[in-house]
Amino acid sequence: MTDTQANAEQIEYWNERGGPQWVQLQERLDAQISPLGLAAIENAAAQSGESVLDVGCGCGQTSLTLAEQVGPQGSVIGVDISQPMLERARERQEEQGLQNMTFVNADAQTHQFEPAIVDLIFSRFGVMFFDDPAKAFGNLRSTLQDRGRLCFICWQELQKNDWVRVPLQATAQHVALPTRPEAGTPGPFAFAAPDRVRGILESAGFQDVTFQSHETDIGLGGATGVEGAVEFLMAIGPVAALVRESDQNTRASVADAIRETLTPIADGDHVN
C-alpha cells in the first residue's frame, strides 16, 4: 500500500459524508462526548508551555481546550483528514481568539511531521481508523520530544457501549444488521482489545504502556430527550448508515422501534 492509497476509504468518508454530517451536528456531538474527552485531557495533564499534537481533532473542541491549558507560551497542532471539520475548527479558533494553535489537513499515518516537536500526542476517538495502526503510531512517535507522552481515549467493546448497542438492537427488528467486522478492522471499536493495542504501541516504540477504564453515562445526542435522541440516531452514526438507503416506511418503523426502546430508560430530558 502506497502513502497515497493509505486510509483512502476513511479520507473519502470524512470529507464527503461523515465530516459534513458532524459539522451540522457539532454542538450535539460535542455535548455527547465532551465529558469523555475532558476525562482524557485531565489524564494527559498538559502543562503550561507544552506543545501538543491533537490527532483526529475534528471540529476542534479538544484542541481549543488544550490550547487554553498550555497557554500562550505553548502550542497545539490539530490534525485531521476532514477538511469540512477543520473549517469549523478554524472558525471556532477565530471566535475564541486563540493564537497558539494551527490546524493541518493531513493523514496522521503518512504525513511528514517535523521530528521531535511535541511534548504530548493526544486524541479523542481519532486513532482507531488507521489502515496500518503500527505504521501510524510509529509516524506519530517520531514527533515526540525526549520523555514525551501519548494519551488517547477510545471505545471499549460494543457490549459495553449501550449508546450504540441498544439502538442497533431496536433497528435489527426492521433492518438486517451487517456481519460484525473482524476484530481490529478500522472503525470505532478497533481498539477494544487492550492486548492488541499494547502490541501496536510497543511495536511503534512506545514504552510504559498503561490502560485506564473509564465507564460513565453519556447523553445521546447531548441528552435532548427521547425525540431528540431518535432524531439524532437517525441522522448520524451506525443506525443512520443502516437506514440511509431504506424507504420511508422502513425508516419510520426503525424510528418507532428506537423510540419504544429508549422511552422506558429515559430520565426526563436525558437519554443516557
Side-chain angles (χ1 to χ4, degrees):
M1 179 182 299
T2 66
D3 285 352
T4 56
Q5 294 173 319
N7 302 303
E9 183 176 338
Q10 294 293 334
I11 291 170
E12 179 181 3
Y13 172 76
W14 287 106
N15 279 280
E16 297 185 4
R17 179 174 294 166
Q21 288 177 322
W22 194 291
V23 171
Q24 183 179 3
L25 296 169
Q26 170 245 308
E27 292 185 0
R28 297 183 65 180
L29 285 158
D30 278 349
Q32 175 172 305
I33 63 176
S34 62
L36 305 177
L38 290 173
I41 286 175
E42 181 179 357
N43 191 274
Q47 302 297 307
S48 177
E50 287 193 319
S51 54
V52 183
L53 177 64
D54 187 7
V55 180
C57 66
C59 294
Q61 185 184 46
T62 51
S63 296
L64 294 166
T65 301
L66 289 163
E68 292 178 341
Q69 284 194 345
V70 300
Q73 301 305 313
S75 63
V76 175
I77 302 170
V79 60
D80 203 285
I81 59 175
S82 175
Q83 184 63 34
M85 297 176 79
L86 288 178
E87 289 175 1
R88 178 61 186 134
R90 294 186 181 105
E91 290 175 355
R92 299 172 78 181
Q93 177 188 3
E94 185 174 351
E95 291 166 2
Q96 296 192 26
L98 292 171
Q99 303 299 318
N100 61 337
M101 57 194 306
T102 57
F103 291 104
V104 179
N105 183 204
D107 181 352
Q109 177 174 314
T110 59
H111 183 68
Q112 294 185 352
F113 296 100
E114 292 184 46
I117 60 169
V118 300
D119 301 289
L120 167 66
I121 299 171
F122 177 83
S123 183
R124 182 187 72 179
F125 304 121
V127 295
M128 303 93 69
F129 304 95
F130 296 122
D131 285 340
D132 189 339
K135 180 177 180 179
F137 278 100
N139 188 46
L140 290 170
R141 186 180 178 278
S142 70
T143 70
L144 280 177
Q145 300 181 29
D146 291 341
R147 304 185 65 81
R149 62 202 187 280
L150 163 72
C151 178
F152 64 83
I153 186 168
C154 60
W155 300 112
Q156 298 187 51
E157 60 185 300
L158 177 62
Q159 292 304 312
K160 290 186 176 183
N161 285 276
D162 288 350
W163 65 276
V164 176
R165 183 181 60 82
V166 171
L168 281 179
Q169 287 178 337
T171 302
Q173 299 174 34
H174 303 281
V175 178
L177 300 185
T179 303
R180 184 174 296 187
E182 294 184 13
T185 300
F189 304 104
F191 277 19
D195 287 345
R196 176 175 182 265
V197 178
R198 182 186 302 278
I200 290 170
L201 295 177
E202 291 181 345
S203 71
F206 289 95
Q207 301 176 352
D208 302 322
V209 178
T210 60
F211 301 90
Q212 180 178 327
S213 178
H214 180 80
E215 299 184 21
T216 187
D217 291 336
I218 59 174
L220 262 176
T224 54
V226 171
E227 290 305 319
V230 172
E231 177 188 0
F232 176 80
L233 290 165
M234 296 293 290
I236 194 168
V239 171
L242 285 172
V243 301
R244 185 171 293 118
E245 304 300 328
S246 298
D247 59 59
Q248 186 173 354
N249 289 337
T250 300
R251 290 178 60 85
S253 296
V254 169
D256 287 342
I258 294 174
R259 185 178 297 108
E260 182 178 350
T261 299
L262 296 183
T263 297
I265 61 176
D267 181 13
D269 289 335
H270 297 269
V271 182
N272 294 321

